Amino acid sequence: MSIPQVTLSSGNAKTMPVLGLGTAADPFPGPETVVKAVLEAIELGYRMFDTASFYQTEAALGEAILQALSLGLIKSREDVFITSKIWCCDNHGDRVLPALRTTLQKMKMDYLDQYLIHFPASLKPGATFPYKPEEVFSIDIKSVWTAMEECQTLGLTKSIGVSNFTRKKLADILAFAKIPPAVNQVEMNPAWQQRKLMEFCNANGITIAAYSPLGGPGACWGSKGVLESEVLKEISTSKGKSVAQVALRWVYEQGVVIVMKSFNKERLKQNLEIFDWELTDEDSKRIAEIPQSRASLAEMFISETGLFKSLEQLWDGEQ
Ligand code: A2P
């Protein structure tokens, strides 16, 4: 099964596969599980992989790519599209480049295909969960983004982007950026459709990458709102597809990139089989009416006495 590709605004010739494997798991499953899942995914045809400093899976993903090379599953590093993300403790202008160098060292790679700001907040360097209110700061986006641009200029990453950014926060970057963000990776699924954000990103040449396309049912913050949706179940029965396939197909039909997580070979295979059939207009209309709620709230940044006092404030009141 070959996976369609998209061209990013970064101007790099290399395209990004529209479906890839995310490696965030809570609790951290251990490096062997990650390496095994990535190797199985490569065998099945996956070529896009997503990690983050915060997930603690960078080293395991790097190791899996090295093993895939030595096993001959891929011919060169060029054959895979690798994303990682800078964590909030490093969202300070002078910490960005060192953070990327640490990531590359852990992954045993010369460059990333994509480096993203994981979340639009800064934490005191070294802060650990649960964060104290006084450890959370607003991000100095100008200095952090300028340092991200330097990372791309130096060739340490082929493209740069953001994650969990609202329209307002994207507009803040676009107002001064020399290199606009190529990607905004956000939660997106039939139960959190992000229509306004999608319009904004389409108008500004920013590709959306959808995390938790299945609602993140295995994550501590995730929801079963997608996999247990009655509407999706009915469509899945009528199509002879699984609910997960219907959800992934819907996300694909929005014209975005999908970052799906499964460490199970059968499900990895099943989740690839979404490119040779389509939803009908009637299916899409029914999915558009599914009640909406954000699953990934990032409540860890909110406190009565801290910078973000409410979800409304954290997410700029956007839906
Ligand atoms: P597993 O890793 O055991 O396959 P999301 O991508 O929205 O974050 O969802 C990830 C969760 O969904 C994981 O817990 C994963 O479990 C599960 N999952 C992935 N693919 C499927 C599928 N086809 N059917 C059911 N659950 C799935």
Side-chain angles (χ1 to χ4, degrees), residues 212-218 227 242 244 259-264 267 270-271:
S212 291
L214 306 175
L227 290 185
S242 72
V259 180
M260 167 280 310
K261 182 261 167 184
S262 177
F263 289 168
N264 171 294
R267 290 196 277 274
Q270 180 196 126
N271 295 351

PDB file of all heavy atoms in Angstrom, residues 212-218 227 242 244 259-264 267 270-271, ligand 1:
ATOM      1  N   SER A 212      -3.657  12.351  17.413  1.00  0.00           N
ATOM      2  CA  SER A 212      -4.848  11.717  17.997  1.00  0.00           C
ATOM      3  C   SER A 212      -6.004  11.644  16.995  1.00  0.00           C
ATOM      4  O   SER A 212      -7.131  12.050  17.296  1.00  0.00           O
ATOM      5  CB  SER A 212      -5.297  12.439  19.262  1.00  0.00           C
ATOM      6  OG  SER A 212      -4.350  12.232  20.268  1.00  0.00           O
ATOM      7  N   PRO A 213      -5.743  11.126  15.797  1.00  0.00           N
ATOM      8  CA  PRO A 213      -6.827  11.007  14.811  1.00  0.00           C
ATOM      9  C   PRO A 213      -7.920  10.041  15.273  1.00  0.00           C
ATOM     10  O   PRO A 213      -9.031  10.074  14.765  1.00  0.00           O
ATOM     11  CB  PRO A 213      -6.112  10.461  13.565  1.00  0.00           C
ATOM     12  CG  PRO A 213      -4.912   9.737  14.108  1.00  0.00           C
ATOM     13  CD  PRO A 213      -4.477  10.572  15.292  1.00  0.00           C
ATOM     14  N   LEU A 214      -7.568   9.210  16.264  1.00  0.00           N
ATOM     15  CA  LEU A 214      -8.582   8.288  16.818  1.00  0.00           C
ATOM     16  C   LEU A 214      -9.074   8.783  18.180  1.00  0.00           C
ATOM     17  O   LEU A 214      -9.724   8.049  18.916  1.00  0.00           O
ATOM     18  CB  LEU A 214      -7.989   6.876  16.960  1.00  0.00           C
ATOM     19  CG  LEU A 214      -7.370   6.312  15.678  1.00  0.00           C
ATOM     20  CD1 LEU A 214      -6.708   4.965  15.928  1.00  0.00           C
ATOM     21  CD2 LEU A 214      -8.440   6.176  14.587  1.00  0.00           C
ATOM     22  N   GLY A 215      -8.722  10.013  18.526  1.00  0.00           N
ATOM     23  CA  GLY A 215      -9.127  10.574  19.824  1.00  0.00           C
ATOM     24  C   GLY A 215      -8.155  10.230  20.931  1.00  0.00           C
ATOM     25  O   GLY A 215      -8.408  10.525  22.093  1.00  0.00           O
ATOM     26  N   GLY A 216      -7.050   9.578  20.589  1.00  0.00           N
ATOM     27  CA  GLY A 216      -6.041   9.234  21.606  1.00  0.00           C
ATOM     28  C   GLY A 216      -6.596   8.354  22.712  1.00  0.00           C
ATOM     29  O   GLY A 216      -6.347   8.617  23.893  1.00  0.00           O
ATOM     30  N   PRO A 217      -7.342   7.283  22.374  1.00  0.00           N
ATOM     31  CA  PRO A 217      -8.028   6.509  23.419  1.00  0.00           C
ATOM     32  C   PRO A 217      -7.088   5.873  24.435  1.00  0.00           C
ATOM     33  O   PRO A 217      -7.491   5.620  25.563  1.00  0.00           O
ATOM     34  CB  PRO A 217      -8.792   5.440  22.636  1.00  0.00           C
ATOM     35  CG  PRO A 217      -8.073   5.316  21.335  1.00  0.00           C
ATOM     36  CD  PRO A 217      -7.556   6.690  21.042  1.00  0.00           C
ATOM     37  N   GLY A 218      -5.812   5.665  24.059  1.00  0.00           N
ATOM     38  CA  GLY A 218      -4.895   5.022  25.000  1.00  0.00           C
ATOM     39  C   GLY A 218      -4.178   6.029  25.899  1.00  0.00           C
ATOM     40  O   GLY A 218      -3.533   5.649  26.868  1.00  0.00           O
ATOM     41  N   LEU A 227     -13.723   6.330  18.779  1.00  0.00           N
ATOM     42  CA  LEU A 227     -13.891   4.886  18.537  1.00  0.00           C
ATOM     43  C   LEU A 227     -15.271   4.388  18.989  1.00  0.00           C
ATOM     44  O   LEU A 227     -15.743   3.359  18.517  1.00  0.00           O
ATOM     45  CB  LEU A 227     -12.775   4.101  19.224  1.00  0.00           C
ATOM     46  CG  LEU A 227     -11.381   4.266  18.613  1.00  0.00           C
ATOM     47  CD1 LEU A 227     -10.364   3.351  19.276  1.00  0.00           C
ATOM     48  CD2 LEU A 227     -11.370   4.025  17.106  1.00  0.00           C
ATOM     49  N   SER A 242     -13.335  -0.815   9.695  1.00  0.00           N
ATOM     50  CA  SER A 242     -13.368  -0.621  11.146  1.00  0.00           C
ATOM     51  C   SER A 242     -13.670   0.854  11.448  1.00  0.00           C
ATOM     52  O   SER A 242     -13.511   1.724  10.580  1.00  0.00           O
ATOM     53  CB  SER A 242     -12.029  -1.013  11.772  1.00  0.00           C
ATOM     54  OG  SER A 242     -11.049  -0.053  11.446  1.00  0.00           O
ATOM     55  N   ALA A 244     -11.931   2.726  13.334  1.00  0.00           N
ATOM     56  CA  ALA A 244     -10.656   3.441  13.221  1.00  0.00           C
ATOM     57  C   ALA A 244     -10.385   3.804  11.754  1.00  0.00           C
ATOM     58  O   ALA A 244      -9.959   4.937  11.460  1.00  0.00           O
ATOM     59  CB  ALA A 244      -9.514   2.581  13.768  1.00  0.00           C
ATOM     60  N   VAL A 259      -0.906  11.738  11.987  1.00  0.00           N
ATOM     61  CA  VAL A 259       0.097  11.123  12.869  1.00  0.00           C
ATOM     62  C   VAL A 259      -0.666  10.188  13.812  1.00  0.00           C
ATOM     63  O   VAL A 259      -1.280  10.619  14.780  1.00  0.00           O
ATOM     64  CB  VAL A 259       0.868  12.184  13.670  1.00  0.00           C
ATOM     65  CG1 VAL A 259       1.908  11.526  14.566  1.00  0.00           C
ATOM     66  CG2 VAL A 259       1.546  13.184  12.732  1.00  0.00           C
ATOM     67  N   MET A 260      -0.675   8.918  13.474  1.00  0.00           N
ATOM     68  CA  MET A 260      -1.444   7.922  14.214  1.00  0.00           C
ATOM     69  C   MET A 260      -0.503   7.108  15.098  1.00  0.00           C
ATOM     70  O   MET A 260       0.659   6.901  14.731  1.00  0.00           O
ATOM     71  CB  MET A 260      -2.126   7.033  13.169  1.00  0.00           C
ATOM     72  CG  MET A 260      -2.743   5.770  13.624  1.00  0.00           C
ATOM     73  SD  MET A 260      -1.611   4.371  13.873  1.00  0.00           S
ATOM     74  CE  MET A 260      -0.690   4.315  12.370  1.00  0.00           C
ATOM     75  N   LYS A 261      -0.990   6.682  16.265  1.00  0.00           N
ATOM     76  CA  LYS A 261      -0.138   5.839  17.109  1.00  0.00           C
ATOM     77  C   LYS A 261      -0.731   4.438  17.234  1.00  0.00           C
ATOM     78  O   LYS A 261      -1.890   4.264  17.620  1.00  0.00           O
ATOM     79  CB  LYS A 261       0.012   6.458  18.502  1.00  0.00           C
ATOM     80  CG  LYS A 261       0.926   5.649  19.427  1.00  0.00           C
ATOM     81  CD  LYS A 261       0.136   4.754  20.371  1.00  0.00           C
ATOM     82  CE  LYS A 261       1.004   3.725  21.081  1.00  0.00           C
ATOM     83  NZ  LYS A 261       0.204   2.816  21.915  1.00  0.00           N
ATOM     84  N   SER A 262       0.061   3.432  16.864  1.00  0.00           N
ATOM     85  CA  SER A 262      -0.254   2.051  17.229  1.00  0.00           C
ATOM     86  C   SER A 262       1.055   1.285  17.318  1.00  0.00           C
ATOM     87  O   SER A 262       1.920   1.425  16.452  1.00  0.00           O
ATOM     88  CB  SER A 262      -1.171   1.382  16.198  1.00  0.00           C
ATOM     89  OG  SER A 262      -1.357   0.042  16.604  1.00  0.00           O
ATOM     90  N   PHE A 263       1.188   0.524  18.357  1.00  0.00           N
ATOM     91  CA  PHE A 263       2.375  -0.326  18.484  1.00  0.00           C
ATOM     92  C   PHE A 263       1.978  -1.785  18.252  1.00  0.00           C
ATOM     93  O   PHE A 263       2.646  -2.702  18.714  1.00  0.00           O
ATOM     94  CB  PHE A 263       3.020  -0.154  19.874  1.00  0.00           C
ATOM     95  CG  PHE A 263       3.696   1.193  20.082  1.00  0.00           C
ATOM     96  CD1 PHE A 263       4.102   1.592  21.341  1.00  0.00           C
ATOM     97  CD2 PHE A 263       3.948   2.046  19.018  1.00  0.00           C
ATOM     98  CE1 PHE A 263       4.729   2.822  21.542  1.00  0.00           C
ATOM     99  CE2 PHE A 263       4.570   3.282  19.201  1.00  0.00           C
ATOM    100  CZ  PHE A 263       4.959   3.665  20.468  1.00  0.00           C
ATOM    101  N   ASN A 264       0.854  -1.974  17.541  1.00  0.00           N
ATOM    102  CA  ASN A 264       0.315  -3.307  17.308  1.00  0.00           C
ATOM    103  C   ASN A 264       0.326  -3.568  15.804  1.00  0.00           C
ATOM    104  O   ASN A 264      -0.239  -2.804  15.022  1.00  0.00           O
ATOM    105  CB  ASN A 264      -1.116  -3.332  17.870  1.00  0.00           C
ATOM    106  CG  ASN A 264      -1.869  -4.578  17.508  1.00  0.00           C
ATOM    107  OD1 ASN A 264      -2.160  -4.816  16.341  1.00  0.00           O
ATOM    108  ND2 ASN A 264      -2.189  -5.364  18.512  1.00  0.00           N
ATOM    109  N   ARG A 267      -2.970  -3.646  13.838  1.00  0.00           N
ATOM    110  CA  ARG A 267      -3.615  -2.334  13.706  1.00  0.00           C
ATOM    111  C   ARG A 267      -2.802  -1.405  12.796  1.00  0.00           C
ATOM    112  O   ARG A 267      -3.358  -0.593  12.065  1.00  0.00           O
ATOM    113  CB  ARG A 267      -3.864  -1.723  15.080  1.00  0.00           C
ATOM    114  CG  ARG A 267      -4.968  -2.474  15.839  1.00  0.00           C
ATOM    115  CD  ARG A 267      -5.491  -1.679  17.011  1.00  0.00           C
ATOM    116  NE  ARG A 267      -4.658  -1.829  18.184  1.00  0.00           N
ATOM    117  CZ  ARG A 267      -4.774  -2.822  19.074  1.00  0.00           C
ATOM    118  NH1 ARG A 267      -5.703  -3.731  18.912  1.00  0.00           N
ATOM    119  NH2 ARG A 267      -3.972  -2.886  20.115  1.00  0.00           N
ATOM    120  N   GLN A 270      -3.961  -2.460   9.420  1.00  0.00           N
ATOM    121  CA  GLN A 270      -5.342  -2.014   9.187  1.00  0.00           C
ATOM    122  C   GLN A 270      -5.390  -0.501   8.905  1.00  0.00           C
ATOM    123  O   GLN A 270      -6.104  -0.040   8.021  1.00  0.00           O
ATOM    124  CB  GLN A 270      -6.142  -2.335  10.458  1.00  0.00           C
ATOM    125  CG  GLN A 270      -7.586  -1.946  10.405  1.00  0.00           C
ATOM    126  CD  GLN A 270      -8.210  -1.937  11.795  1.00  0.00           C
ATOM    127  OE1 GLN A 270      -8.782  -0.938  12.206  1.00  0.00           O
ATOM    128  NE2 GLN A 270      -8.119  -3.045  12.529  1.00  0.00           N
ATOM    129  N   ASN A 271      -4.592   0.254   9.659  1.00  0.00           N
ATOM    130  CA  ASN A 271      -4.661   1.716   9.555  1.00  0.00           C
ATOM    131  C   ASN A 271      -4.079   2.243   8.244  1.00  0.00           C
ATOM    132  O   ASN A 271      -4.309   3.399   7.876  1.00  0.00           O
ATOM    133  CB  ASN A 271      -3.953   2.363  10.749  1.00  0.00           C
ATOM    134  CG  ASN A 271      -4.666   2.062  12.063  1.00  0.00           C
ATOM    135  OD1 ASN A 271      -5.776   1.521  12.067  1.00  0.00           O
ATOM    136  ND2 ASN A 271      -4.047   2.381  13.177  1.00  0.00           N
TER     137      ASN A 271
HETATM  138  P1  A2P B   1      -2.318   0.255  20.128  1.00  0.00           P
HETATM  139  O1  A2P B   1      -1.010   0.990  20.187  1.00  0.00           O
HETATM  140  O2  A2P B   1      -2.413  -0.848  21.130  1.00  0.00           O
HETATM  141  O3  A2P B   1      -2.701  -0.174  18.736  1.00  0.00           O
HETATM  142  P2  A2P B   1      -4.373   8.069  18.465  1.00  0.00           P
HETATM  143  O4  A2P B   1      -3.587   7.763  17.235  1.00  0.00           O
HETATM  144  O5  A2P B   1      -5.651   8.783  18.205  1.00  0.00           O
HETATM  145  O6  A2P B   1      -3.543   8.776  19.507  1.00  0.00           O
HETATM  146  O7  A2P B   1      -4.803   6.680  19.130  1.00  0.00           O
HETATM  147  C1  A2P B   1      -3.863   5.793  19.629  1.00  0.00           C
HETATM  148  C2  A2P B   1      -4.549   4.693  20.385  1.00  0.00           C
HETATM  149  O8  A2P B   1      -5.475   4.012  19.537  1.00  0.00           O
HETATM  150  C3  A2P B   1      -3.577   3.675  20.893  1.00  0.00           C
HETATM  151  O9  A2P B   1      -3.991   3.306  22.189  1.00  0.00           O
HETATM  152  C4  A2P B   1      -3.717   2.507  19.921  1.00  0.00           C
HETATM  153  O10 A2P B   1      -3.476   1.297  20.602  1.00  0.00           O
HETATM  154  C5  A2P B   1      -5.153   2.630  19.483  1.00  0.00           C
HETATM  155  N1  A2P B   1      -5.361   2.187  18.106  1.00  0.00           N
HETATM  156  C6  A2P B   1      -4.569   2.424  17.020  1.00  0.00           C
HETATM  157  N2  A2P B   1      -5.103   1.887  15.910  1.00  0.00           N
HETATM  158  C7  A2P B   1      -6.260   1.321  16.283  1.00  0.00           C
HETATM  159  C8  A2P B   1      -7.258   0.585  15.577  1.00  0.00           C
HETATM  160  N3  A2P B   1      -7.169   0.351  14.273  1.00  0.00           N
HETATM  161  N4  A2P B   1      -8.316   0.125  16.298  1.00  0.00           N
HETATM  162  C9  A2P B   1      -8.412   0.338  17.624  1.00  0.00           C
HETATM  163  N5  A2P B   1      -7.506   1.015  18.345  1.00  0.00           N
HETATM  164  C10 A2P B   1      -6.431   1.497  17.687  1.00  0.00           C
END
